[in-house]
Amino acid sequence: MTERVIHNQWSSRLAFMLAATGSAVGLGNIWKFPYITGEYGGGAFVLVYLVCIALIGIPVMMAEILLGRRARANPIDAFRSQAEAEGRSRAWGGVGLMGVFAGFVILSFYSVVAGWALAYVFEALSGAFDGLDGETSGALFGALTGSPQRLLFWHTVFMLLTVAVVARGVRSGLERLVTLLMPLLLVLLALLVGYAMAAGEFARGFHYLFDVDFSRVFLQCGDDGACTFTAEPLLAAMGHAFFTLSLGMGAIMVYGSYMPREASIAGSTVMIAIADTLVALMAGLAIFPLVFANGLEPGAGPGLVFVSLPIAFGAMPGGQLVGVLFFLLLVFAAWSSSISVMEPGVAWLSENGHLSRGRASLILGGLAWLLGIGAALSFNLWSGEDYQLFGKTLFDLEDFLASNVLLPLGGLFITLFVGWVVRRRGSEDELAMHSPRLFGLWYFVIRYVAPAGIVLVFLNAIGVV
Ligand code: PFF
């Protein structure tokens, strides 16, 4: 296979690790995980999500990194060249294209939520969190989401931040920034968990997250007491496993293409997955005790984090500073993720020589910004039923389409490609695992378990199984 000349390579394994962790850890962990856990009813959802991370997420991440590093190219060309090398159709490049499309959809609503975090940095600075309770905190958040102007302003600022970094190339300074900020985010989260232990209903929050009661999550009961099974939480848990690990759309694949040869793919993957899961669980442990202590609804929806945590910031000593720092770090976490969402598309457009990185990021960012306007208006002007499809706002539809359809579908094709198109020997060489038995296990999972699991969840969701 020909090695393509690519624009970038990480300076070390550590640089790859930091960038990939920066991609994985983001709004998905701190904003989305707690809120969908609350919507789907707690512990059983968390368990299914953890099983998806272990059984599908980790093997698929290894497959993505190996594909990227083997091809040393953007996802579209990576699929094309490796399919060709195996004597198969170049149409496999379509999987990469679908990933670029998924990234564009994700970026559109991701930027809106990151905009909330940006706005909250300034709310914290101005002392707006002082003495908040459940009701006033809800009102503060409602005032933000109720204002199209404010949402569009912060959405625009965040999109510009993303475009500015992607235009210059992923390595420009971001590595160092992330090195510094990720540990700080962990420390702050630990502090918040400590606060939740002291001031919140910690035991209740803990049980909510970890007590497994399948009937509460998978049974939908009407007023007459009759219950039916619902498969939606299963699809949501699997979709979120893809979303939180940045899988199924080529983001980790393109980062893998910049990875040095000598780094271990399996070792890196496990560490990234552990770090990502830890952050999500810590966010849950910080948030749910506060939710219960302040009479909030766990299933309140996308505002959960933005309503619950400011109450804590407003009450704890030094809370103003902690609040500013927290939302600032959340913005950085979102930033290092949104950059990776854009990277596959920008790498593809620029490596083929059609466009410069700057132009490519401006165009992709601009299109995502346009679609993001719809996501922002979903909370105010377009929140009514007239603007909904299948009972979902545009914001919810974008999230559903990307996370629960496109990413798992991309993941399915990745497992089929690595399991059935790429020769076993090729993957074995690239992974270079010490234990042949572990490699065998991974290969079995990629060939049979993961694709079957994804297909089953899909069939389940549309009511076939
Ligand atoms: N993993 C990111 C998060 O949890 O916030 C979101 C994300 C990044 C999704 C990159 C997909 C992606 F390609």
Side-chain angles (χ1 to χ4, degrees), residues 107-118:
L107 191 59
S108 69
F109 69 86
Y110 206 80
S111 167
V112 171
V113 179
W116 300 349
L118 262 173

Side-chain angles (χ1 to χ4, degrees), residues 111-113 115-116 119 140-157 369-370 372-384 387:
S111 167
V112 171
V113 179
W116 300 349
L140 189 71
F141 182 67
L144 171 67
T145 51
S147 158
Q149 292 86 349
R150 286 177 68 195
L151 290 193
L152 291 180
F153 175 75
W154 293 114
H155 165 52
T156 309
V157 173
W369 177 81
L370 272 179
I373 293 178
L377 297 186
S378 298
F379 293 92
N380 37 69
L381 300 179
W382 294 356
S383 64
Y387 295 95

Side-chain angles (χ1 to χ4, degrees), residues 326-337:
F326 176 82
F327 283 110
L328 204 59
L329 289 173
L330 187 57
V331 169
F332 276 108
W335 201 9
S336 57
S337 299

Side-chain angles (χ1 to χ4, degrees), residues 8 135 149 173 208 220 224 226 228 295 306 362 407 433 435 451:
N8 267 305
E135 208 167 299
Q149 292 86 349
Y208 185 79
Q220 243 167 11
D224 54 357
T228 50
F306 291 87
L362 258 182
L407 296 186
M433 289 165 76
S435 152

Side-chain angles (χ1 to χ4, degrees), residues 23-29 106 110 240 242-247 249-252 276 333 337-338 340-341 407:
S23 166
V25 176
L27 294 172
N29 307 63
I106 290 175
Y110 206 80
H240 188 61
F242 279 97
F243 185 85
T244 192
L245 292 176
S246 309
L247 299 178
M249 55 153 286
I252 289 293
D276 187 81
S337 299
S338 65
S340 71
V341 176
L407 296 186

